[in-house]
Amino acid sequence: MEPVPMLLAMTYRAMGDQFHDRLRQIGLEPLRPAHGYVFRFLKEKRATTVDIGQHLGVTKQAAAKIVNELDEWGYVLREPHPTDKRAQYVTLTTKGRDYLKFADNLWSDLEHEMAEAIGETTLDTIKTGLAEYLQHVHGDDQPGLRPVW
């Protein structure tokens, strides 16, 4: 059997692939995992493109491309920065917030399918164990969801 980190990575990839397959089936824009990290990052705040790039671990240019796509599709809004004329704040639009709710429901559906495959008790045990491990490693200062490139 594979080591736990490999199993976690493969499981995340399998669920992510199913998630994006379903997005394609319903005809949404060609959203990629990087877009999802931006949605989560902007969920509770606004940020500049530089902030988004730092969060994603990509260049400002790569972050700008992602923001441009999300803006064209109506998921984010750019606003002037109050003190830096070269910068803009990026925030989620109503469409972006609605998408986050939709995505949460889709992830919940995939989690239910996992419970059907491995059993609800097993899934609960895995979730509890992972949460306890994160608490052990990070304490109350839990890191936000970030990509692992």
Side-chain angles (χ1 to χ4, degrees):
M1 183 174 286
E2 297 286 340
V4 170
M6 303 306 164
L7 290 170
L8 290 170
M10 290 185 294
T11 301
Y12 176 72
R13 178 62 187 257
M15 291 182 82
D17 287 349
Q18 289 181 332
F19 180 91
H20 286 92
D21 286 347
R22 292 181 189 184
L23 290 181
R24 276 189 292 283
Q25 289 171 5
I26 60 173
L28 284 181
E29 295 82 6
L31 294 164
R32 299 181 311 277
H35 295 117
Y37 289 110
V38 173
F39 279 106
R40 297 286 169 198
F41 186 62
L42 296 175
K43 182 177 181 178
E44 302 296 329
K45 63 179 161 245
R46 62 185 182 170
T48 66
T49 301
V50 171
D51 297 333
I52 292 168
Q54 289 173 342
H55 177 72
L56 294 176
V58 300
T59 65
K60 179 183 171 190
Q61 291 79 8
K65 181 179 182 212
I66 293 167
V67 169
N68 286 339
E69 290 170 332
L70 292 174
D71 183 35
E72 287 172 17
W73 296 328
Y75 291 111
V76 299
L77 175 68
R78 295 183 232 204
E79 306 170 283
H81 192 283
T83 59
D84 184 348
K85 298 294 182 204
R86 298 171 296 147
Q88 294 178 324
Y89 274 125
V90 180
T91 57
L92 290 175
T93 61
T94 299
K95 181 179 178 181
R97 294 197 178 286
D98 289 346
Y99 172 78
L100 262 177
K101 291 173 191 169
F102 169 79
D104 287 342
N105 288 332
L106 184 51
W107 282 118
S108 180
D109 291 346
L110 292 168
E111 189 173 307
H112 289 304
E113 291 174 23
M114 179 183 267
E116 290 174 5
I118 67 173
E120 190 73 41
T121 302
T122 301
L123 182 58
D124 287 344
T125 300
I126 291 169
K127 288 170 66 173
T128 299
L130 292 174
E132 289 172 0
Y133 178 73
L134 290 172
Q135 180 66 34
H136 170 77
V137 171
H138 297 290
D140 292 333
D141 189 26
Q142 295 294 314
L145 182 63
R146 297 180 57 144
V148 183
W149 307 114

